[in-house]
Every structure is written in structure tokens, then in C-alpha cells.
């Protein structure tokens, strides 16, 4: 028999430290996840080129460290991320090799988000087209992107839809840590 933990390879938690773009949505991490938030701040200090995007209708301690704070209308997160998927498809942001090798049902998912143009998302989420385009393009251009979502996303009546929209963007772009 082996002792608990024997032959276990230690985890190397470097996802935040190596990302180029960190999106934080549905979380005031500064208050609700302070240890994780400290890692985010330290990673940003170590790598000032890393961009932090906070997607939250509220001004919070977390939004104070953001390069961009997207104050979308409450409850419009799914539209924001469906719009990102539509933007990726229209702006050469899809990883077709990753999609083919690792996903199924992509074409129906893409068809479902076609109505979420930048203008439609900006109008629905009540944010500017310029701000939205800037964040979408940052995601598109980043080789490595990470989205941190928490209870504000998954503990809602449409939490599954919100989570799926976020996951779809990462699968479609091949940005999987």
C-alpha cells in the first residue's frame, strides 16, 4: 500500500502568472477570494503588460485594479460572452484546429450567437461600442486568456447559460489553460 499523497506530482499554480489577459466576472475577488486576488495583483505587478478586465455593474475593490472596468447592465453577462464568441468568429479569433479536435456542436453554438453583433451587445448591455470592441479585441489578440468567474455568475437563474457562454469562448479560441 502507498501512503496518501505518495507519488503525487505537486501542482504548479501558474495560470494567473502566465496569462496575458485576465477577465474577472461575477466576483468581487478582493473581498470574496482575497488569497486569489493577491495572486492577481502580484502577477500584474510582476508583468505590467498583463491586462485585467473586470466585468461587473458595480464599482468594487476588484475593479480598482482593472485596466478596463466593464459596467454592463446587471444580468447581461450571457449576451456579453455570446457577443465575444460572435466577435471571435468575425475577426479571425477562432482556433479551427482546436475546435475540430476537442469540441462537438460548434456550428449550432456559433449560429445561436450570430445575432450578438458588437452593436447589439453594446445596446443590450448598456456599454459603449468602443469599450466593448477594445475588450473583445484584447481577448482575440491575447495568446493566453483566463476568465475567473464565481458565484455572481453561476448562482443565478441563468447560471448555466452564463457559464456555457464563457466556456464556449475559451473552447472556440483554444485558450484553455
Amino acid at each position: 500500500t502507498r501512503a496518501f499523497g505518495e507519488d503525487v506530482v505537486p501542482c504548479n499554480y501558474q495560470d494567473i502568472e502566465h496569462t496575458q489577459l485576465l477577465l474577472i466576472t461575477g466576483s468581487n475577488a478582493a473581498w470574496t477570494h482575497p488569497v486569489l486576488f493577491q495572486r492577481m495583483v502580484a502577477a500584474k505587478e510582476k508583468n505590467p503588460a498583463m491586462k485585467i478586465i473586470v466585468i461587473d455593474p458595480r464599482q468594487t475593490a476588484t475593479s480598482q485594479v482593472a485596466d478596463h472596468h466593464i459596467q454592463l447592465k446587471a444580468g447581461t453577462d450571457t449576451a456579453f460572452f455570446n457577443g465575444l464568441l460572435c466577435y471571435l468568429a468575425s475577426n479571425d479569433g477562432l482556433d479551427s484546429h482546436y475546435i475540430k479536435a476537442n469540441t462537438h456542436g460548434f456550428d449550432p453554438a456559433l449560429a445561436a450567437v450570430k445575432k450578438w453583433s458588437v452593436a447589439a451587445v453594446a445596446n443590450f448591455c448598456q456599454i459603449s461600442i468602443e469599450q466593448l470592441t477594445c475588450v473583445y479585441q484584447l481577448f482575440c489578440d491575447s495568446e493566453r486568456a483566463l476568465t475567473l468567474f464565481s458565484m455572481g455568475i453561476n448562482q443565478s437563474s441563468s447560471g448555466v447559460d452564463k457559464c456555457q457562454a464563457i466556456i464556449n469562448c475559451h473552447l472556440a479560441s483554444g485558450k484553455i489553460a
Side-chain angles (χ1 to χ4, degrees), residues 11-81:
C11 289
N12 184 9
Y13 296 103
Q14 296 292 313
D15 48 355
I16 292 171
E17 291 76 11
H18 290 185
T19 195
Q20 295 171 315
L21 178 67
L22 176 62
L23 291 96
I24 305 168
T25 186
S27 175
N28 180 9
W31 288 6
T32 58
H33 303 286
V35 173
L36 186 62
F37 183 72
Q38 290 172 14
R39 280 186 57 212
M40 293 179 221
V41 171
K44 176 72 172 168
E45 288 172 356
K46 191 173 185 175
N47 177 14
M50 180 178 87
K51 299 295 182 203
I52 297 177
I53 311 296
V54 172
I55 304 162
D56 194 326
R58 308 161 299 151
Q59 288 279 347
T60 65
T62 303
S63 66
Q64 299 305 308
V65 302
D67 294 287
H68 299 278
H69 178 201
I70 307 298
Q71 288 187 272
L72 68 148
K73 179 181 169 187
T76 62
D77 314 83
T78 303
F80 178 90
F81 285 98

Side-chain angles (χ1 to χ4, degrees), residues 83-152:
L84 175 56
L85 181 57
C86 184
Y87 185 88
L88 291 169
S90 299
N91 290 277
D92 199 30
L94 300 178
D95 185 334
S96 57
H97 299 291
Y98 189 89
I99 293 167
K100 185 176 180 182
N102 298 289
T103 70
H104 64 276
F106 177 72
D107 291 333
L110 190 57
V113 302
K114 283 295 184 188
K115 70 177 185 177
W116 291 110
S117 66
V118 171
V121 174
N123 182 55
F124 189 77
C125 295
Q126 298 178 358
I127 53 180
S128 76
I129 288 175
E130 295 78 20
Q131 189 179 35
L132 189 62
T133 303
C134 176
V135 170
Y136 282 1
Q137 192 61 47
L138 280 171
F139 189 95
C140 197
D141 291 343
S142 296
E143 187 177 316
R144 293 176 310 279
L146 179 67
T147 302
L148 169 75
F149 61 93
S150 190
M151 291 180 279

